[in-house]
């Protein structure tokens, strides 16, 4: 099953991921991404991958493990 | 029968279109054409981390050769698009034979408006990686940088140059910086920010002439003053790269004119994304063109969907979003702000170190927001815009967060 990986050092809090997949991503008080669900169902793959690719600093990837 | 999509333009809009096509399951050929010989790279860091030297060039690559090969994306770099033959479904390229397409995606972006004060050594624009390398090389010699134009690019580069230890003067004909985007009260705070970091600002004044050479430029201003500078950066906006389409028969009017599905109004197998695209935004009920990173990415997704689902295309109706990093301020703008909109401000830069300006068109619903250094407000505004939140609801929510004790209690 694909999973979301986040680079917390890279995250700059732009919140594009939150808008792209609000059920998978949030920001904490410091503006760093919080991954709400790590495992991505096949039906969500396109939507969550596009949300990850909308990160301006490439802090998120959806990978098959 | 094999299908081919040719994408002309290898910056963020073009690259994301190619990637999104594969994600949508597109099995045809994908050809990504780029004018520069550089591997595709990301532009926002050029005025910040790349200019400052804190990011390696390798860190801003959008697509490597290996990634392109793995995704079945054919890179055709170093060839400028010179024309499109719509009837023959061919793109003409400089230094390469014509390339046939079933679908064409125009993603040629925009160029920096050239300096009207001459173009010679020491006078810079900032749009490409090569521009950033050249400007950085000159900044490293130190001295005094004059920035003409206090928009995002000019303001970001000014902040970066200051961080490198240069003396910096920013000049803009507008009396209040950023007032094309914000109302004057907010714009004033941006001027205060730059001055507090040691940048000289000259607003409400134009540049009449720019004489001299690198190291000893003299700028004569419309108020009669003269400014000496060793290096000059001209940041006075951008022009869409649509000139190469002049003979194509496509309707071009400050960008390629598209329908609500981002298809050329006169050629349904031709699409455009990013800075060069002027499309019909149904909820705004107007044709708009947006020069922002997030728009290019979202439009790329929409176009990839529409190419792969021709029977069920999706209208493109995004909420605008743009950010700018200047000194220690993270500025984020959602939706539509400024103009004649009513607005209210929560927080204050000097008291709270953060603020959000909420804009409304009708006095009730949120039309847009400008947020500085306040991630939770950004999320609330972006989610709220999508859900149709009222300004009052958002105010109540954000004001409770501004009080540290209330925030702890929640």
């Amino acid at each position: 099953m694909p999973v979301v990986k986040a680079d917390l050092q890279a995250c700059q809090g732009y919140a594009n991921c939150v808008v792209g997949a609000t059920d998978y991503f949030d920001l904490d008080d410091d503006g760093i991404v919080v991954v709400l669900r790590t495992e991505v169902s096949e039906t969500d793959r396109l939507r969550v991958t596009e949300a990850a690719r909308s990160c301006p600093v490439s802090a998120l990837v959806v990978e098959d493990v | 029968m094999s299908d081919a999509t040719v994408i002309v333009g290898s910056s963020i809009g073009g690259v994301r279109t190619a990637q999104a096509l594969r994600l949508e399951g597109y099995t045809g050929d994908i050809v990504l054409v780029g004018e520069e010989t550089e591997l595709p790279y990301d532009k926002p860091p050029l005025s910040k981390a790349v200019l400052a030297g804190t990011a390696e060039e390798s860190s801003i690559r959008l697509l490597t050769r290996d990634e392109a090969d793995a995704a079945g994306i054919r890179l055709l770099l170093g060839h400028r698009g010179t024309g499109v033959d719509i009837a023959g479904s061919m793109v003409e390229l400089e230094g390469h034979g014509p390339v046939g397409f079933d679908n064409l995606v125009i993603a040629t972006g925009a160029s920096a408006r050239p300096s009207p004060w001459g173009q010679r050594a020491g006078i810079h624009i900032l749009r490409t990686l090569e521009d950033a390398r050249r400007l950085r090389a000159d900044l490293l010699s130190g001295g005094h940088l004059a920035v003409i134009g206090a928009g995002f690019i000019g303001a970001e580069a000014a902040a970066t140059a200051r961080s490198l230890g240069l003396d910096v003067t920013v000049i803009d004909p507008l009396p209040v910086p950023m007032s094309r985007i914000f109302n004057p009260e907010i714009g004033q705070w941006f001027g205060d920010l730059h001055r507090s970091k040691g940048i000289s600002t000259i607003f409400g004044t134009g540049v009449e002439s720019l004489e001299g050479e690198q190291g000893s430029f003299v700028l004569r201003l419309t108020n009669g003053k003269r400014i000496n500078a060793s290096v000059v950066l001209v940041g006075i906006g951008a022009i869409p790269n649509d000139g190469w389409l002049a003979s194509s028969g496509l309707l071009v009017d400050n960008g390629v004119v598209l329908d609500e599905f981002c298809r050329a109004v006169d050629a349904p197998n031709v699409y455009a994304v990013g800075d060069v695209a002027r499309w019909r935004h149904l909820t705004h009920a107007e044709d708009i063109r947006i020069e922002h990173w997030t728009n290019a990415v979202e439009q790329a997704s929409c176009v990839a969907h529409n190419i792969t689902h021709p029977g069920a295309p999706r209208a493109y109706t995004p909420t605008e979003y743009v950010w700018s990093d200047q000194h220690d301020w993270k500025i984020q703008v959602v939706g539509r702000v400024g103009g004649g909109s009513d607005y209210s401000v929560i927080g204050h830069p000097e008291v709270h170190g953060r603020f959000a300006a909420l804009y409304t068109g009708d006095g009730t619903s949120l039309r847009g927001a400008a947020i500085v250094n306040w991630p939770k407000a950004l999320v609330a505004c972006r989610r709220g815009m999508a859900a149709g939140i009222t300004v009052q609801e958002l105010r109540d929510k954000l004001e409770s967060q501004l009080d540290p004790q209330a925030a702890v209690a929640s």
Side-chain angles (χ1 to χ4, degrees):
Chain A
M1 182 177 269
V3 296
V4 179
K5 290 191 177 165
D7 180 345
L8 303 184
Q9 307 292 315
C11 177
Q12 294 289 316
Y14 294 115
N16 281 358
C17 57
V18 179
V19 174
T22 199
D23 47 341
Y24 279 80
F25 303 108
D26 199 355
L27 296 188
D28 68 16
D29 289 337
D30 298 321
I32 303 299
V33 65
V34 178
V35 180
L36 303 173
R37 297 157 65 185
T38 334
E39 296 193 337
V40 181
S41 65
E42 279 302 331
T43 50
D44 287 347
R45 182 196 282 262
L46 189 146
R47 185 170 61 89
V48 180
T49 304
E50 293 210 324
R53 284 188 184 156
S54 74
C55 175
V57 290
S58 307
L60 297 169
V61 284
V62 176
E63 286 183 346
D64 287 295
V65 289
Chain B
M1 196 186 77
S2 159
D3 195 70
T5 295
V6 175
I7 302 165
V8 183
S10 62
S11 195
I12 185 70
V15 170
R16 286 291 189 267
T17 302
Q19 292 172 320
L21 279 169
R22 289 291 181 238
L23 201 58
E24 292 275 9
Y26 182 75
T27 54
D29 292 339
I30 299 177
V31 182
L32 184 61
V33 180
E35 176 176 353
E36 295 173 65
T37 50
E38 294 282 347
L39 280 169
Y41 59 88
D42 208 16
K43 292 203 166 87
L46 297 182
S47 53
K48 301 177 279 263
V50 169
L51 192 59
T54 54
E56 297 290 332
E57 288 182 5
S58 59
S59 72
I60 65 164
R61 295 294 171 196
L62 290 170
L63 193 67
T64 63
R65 291 245 171 231
D66 288 349
E67 286 164 349
D69 288 346
I73 298 167
R74 186 176 152 218
L75 284 175
L76 211 52
L77 301 178
H79 301 286
R80 192 170 63 87
T82 53
V84 181
D85 172 2
I86 297 290
S89 293
M90 297 280 222
V91 182
E92 289 138 23
L93 304 177
E94 196 171 72
H96 195 283
V99 180
F101 63 82
D102 296 284
N103 297 290
L104 172 66
V105 181
I106 296 163
T108 40
S111 293
R113 192 178 295 279
S115 157
W117 302 282
Q119 296 169 44
R120 55 191 185 273
I123 302 177
H124 295 264
I125 52 169
L126 181 50
R127 190 76 190 178
T128 67
L129 181 54
E130 189 52 31
D131 292 340
R133 288 177 185 140
R134 279 199 286 252
L135 177 58
R136 176 168 165 76
D138 279 2
L139 295 184
L140 291 180
S141 309
H144 183 189
L145 170 70
V147 178
I148 306 174
F152 282 162
I153 296 280
E156 290 181 352
T160 303
R162 188 72 195 124
S163 76
L164 291 170
L166 280 85
D167 292 328
V168 180
T169 301
V170 178
I171 304 152
D172 196 293
L174 290 177
V176 179
M178 302 279 176
S179 52
R180 285 189 202 89
I181 305 172
F182 305 117
N183 42 292
E185 180 194 7
I186 307 290
Q188 191 63 45
W189 290 347
F190 287 91
D192 294 345
L193 168 70
H194 291 297
R195 285 186 290 272
S196 77
K197 302 294 180 183
I199 289 177
S200 303
T201 62
I202 303 174
F203 296 140
T205 304
V207 174
E208 213 156 68
S209 69
L210 170 51
E211 284 149 22
E213 301 301 323
Q214 178 157 16
S216 57
F217 289 117
V218 179
L219 290 80
R220 217 190 303 267
L221 307 184
T222 51
N223 64 1
K225 281 191 182 164
R226 290 154 66 99
I227 302 284
N228 297 314
S230 35
V231 185
V232 176
L233 171 63
V234 179
I236 53 173
I239 311 166
N241 292 323
D242 55 18
W244 68 288
L245 302 168
S247 64
S248 66
L250 292 169
L251 182 61
V252 171
D253 178 13
N254 185 18
V256 185
V257 182
L258 310 169
D259 67 10
E260 67 269 33
F261 304 114
C262 303
R263 300 181 304 206
V265 289
D266 33 21
N269 63 333
V270 176
Y271 300 78
V273 299
D275 295 8
V276 75
R278 172 177 299 282
W279 86 100
R280 185 73 185 169
H281 191 305
L282 289 182
T283 43
H284 292 332
E286 58 183 345
D287 292 349
I288 61 171
R289 189 174 71 78
I290 298 180
E291 293 174 359
H292 299 152
W293 190 96
T294 300
N295 179 64
V297 170
E298 293 179 350
Q299 200 161 24
S301 293
C302 183
V303 163
H305 172 92
N306 292 349
I307 287 174
T308 49
H309 300 78
R314 203 163 67 202
Y316 182 54
T317 55
T319 298
E320 296 89 333
Y321 174 62
V322 61
W323 76 86
S324 177
D325 299 328
Q326 300 172 22
H327 306 287
D328 47 3
W329 279 22
K330 294 172 80 73
I331 302 143
Q332 291 155 325
V333 183
V334 184
R336 298 192 143 189
V337 302
S341 304
D342 284 337
Y343 69 98
S344 54
V345 182
I346 302 153
H348 188 282
E350 280 166 30
V351 181
H352 307 97
R354 58 187 182 176
F355 66 88
L358 309 180
Y359 294 80
T360 179
D362 57 12
T364 307
S365 59
L366 182 67
R367 182 170 187 261
I371 300 134
V372 168
N373 289 349
W374 197 352
K376 282 289 183 188
L378 172 68
V379 170
C381 288
R382 294 193 74 179
R383 283 195 170 129
M385 286 286 292
I389 199 169
T390 67
V391 170
Q392 191 56 51
E393 286 167 331
L394 194 54
R395 273 197 76 97
D396 293 347
K397 192 179 166 106
L398 297 184
E399 273 169 356
S400 71
Q401 288 185 16
L402 206 53
D403 175 348
Q405 287 179 335
V408 169
S410 67

